[in-house]
Amino acid sequence: MSSNPSPGVKTAFLFPGQGGFDGEALRRAKERHPQIGRVFERLDTVTEELYGSRLSEVLFGERKADLRDLLDNDPWASQVAIYGAGLAAYEILAAQGVAPDVLAGHSLGEITALVAAGAFSVEDGVRIVAQRVAVIERHGGVDGRMVALAASAERTRKLLELVDEPLLAVATENHDEQTVVSGPAGILDRVVAIAGQLDVGAIEIDTPFPFHTPALAPAAPEFAAYVTKLDQRPLNRPVYSPILQRYYEPGDALAELLAEHFTRPVRFASAVRHLRETGAEVFVEAGGRAALSKLVAKVTDGSAVRSLPTLAVTGGRLALDRTLDALREAGLAAPERGGLAELLAPSVPADVFAAYWSEHGHMVLELVRTELDAFRRSTGGGGAEPGSRPAAAVEPESAAEAAPAPETPETPETPGTPAAPAAPAAGSRPGGYGRDQLFGELRTLYAEALEYPEDVFEDEVQLEAELGVDSVKQVELLSRVSSRYGLPPRESGFRLATYNTMGKITDFVLQQLNDHGAHTPASATG
């Protein structure tokens, strides 16, 4: 197969690098997803061979180990844990019928992406990660550091020119306002000091070594010689490299290209823009924490892109749960057994239904949505007969498309006379709803539903990008608002992504209230 996908890329999986590990999230997910145990069992066979230690015993034992513990213990443990978490997340998503159009990795995550695409076995992937650590240790890499600067790549390079040190380099370009610098520890202290004088923020990266720096050039040939001996296989999925700024091709010598990672920078922002330009609409971070999903949100700000984390704990919940819900709603993952899958195909094995849904689920949802819209129009809104049970809700094709709000009751007509206008409900008032009052009520509703402090809901705060409120939850909350205030059904062209801040939601609801009148809610919750 060609490693460069045809036009129409929709879903991209991203594998994190340094810092991409959340021990608590991994432990929570392991309780419900057997793929994690199976992946780490395979990793253990190699870590026991190389280090006399089973990594899973460190990660899942009685003492909870997180990234800082791993870094303070042995460098190999943190690197293999990041690699393993990425593979485990990938296996979970695959088991749920999610089929990415392209894979991409950030630094170390590029090794994970290649293994996920079949270029190397899972066990050889551990050996590659372990050798990467070993050769850097042998060539003095332990004396270096990596620091993230709150500045563009261009401004960062000008700052580095002031230091004039050949072993200092831009390591990663994450987004327009964050660039990571790599190099010898003592020299980086000078960089941080200069950055402070220029009022540029600096944060040290959780990593055992510097990566993507000329200082590692002596280690690259030894690493390439080792990887060359491993069995390289054809890719079964396209892999895009933020380092090479291109797709891996069938004739590539991966050992040589992976060795180039030692000294070449990661241009992550450019990679995300390229994937977006070729059609990617959904970016799923397959791995620990939620760093890459946040970077994607910053790089694609203003576009209708969904950025979803997996093995991270956000708002007290495992992000993987909400991500799977969002992917199911968009038709990109199979419905859970016991739900729609059980109704449609109770005798079909779960893996077969997952594969079917991955290929055809979006078409099924589109058909249902289209026919349901036609049914509602033909019945004048589809109101239920008195005393009848409401029809089961049909999920929209995408979480960015809000479900219709409940219909307001209609006043029955007397034959031969025009219909009387509906009388306002008790406590209602038409028009004139003040914005400040409405903003306060909505902020209280959202804060209590999400268990967040009210003061975080500022007028311009981004609900998903900054507060982590995914689109599925936003749909639920907006439907609750529509019911609470008696809003009319939203038009078919409505897109949730347009109303991504508390202020925009307030303005939308206020317009509806002033145009159609409102029910004054008894309370701001419920």
Side-chain angles (χ1 to χ4, degrees), residues 143-176:
D143 295 328
R145 293 164 48 205
M146 299 181 78
V147 172
L149 300 180
S152 66
E154 181 181 2
R155 188 181 184 192
T156 299
R157 288 189 179 91
K158 290 180 179 179
L159 189 155
L160 297 187
E161 288 175 1
L162 299 176
V163 180
D164 191 25
E165 167 55 55
L167 297 182
L168 201 58
V170 167
T172 66
E173 301 172 18
N174 286 333
H175 60 81
D176 291 342

Side-chain angles (χ1 to χ4, degrees), residues 196-211:
Q197 293 296 317
L198 298 175
D199 201 25
V200 173
I203 300 175
E204 186 159 352
I205 301 296
D206 285 332
T207 175
F209 315 117
F211 294 99

Side-chain angles (χ1 to χ4, degrees), residues 291-314:
L292 298 190
S293 50
K294 291 176 182 177
L295 292 180
V296 170
K298 289 182 179 294
V299 173
T300 62
D301 185 34
S303 65
V305 163
R306 303 174 69 187
S307 179
L308 305 170
T310 52
L311 297 180
V313 177
T314 58

Side-chain angles (χ1 to χ4, degrees), residues 75 133 135-145 183-185 207-210 216:
V133 171
V135 297
I136 291 174
E137 286 181 320
R138 284 196 289 271
H139 289 273
V142 290
D143 295 328
R145 293 164 48 205
T207 175
F209 315 117
L216 296 183

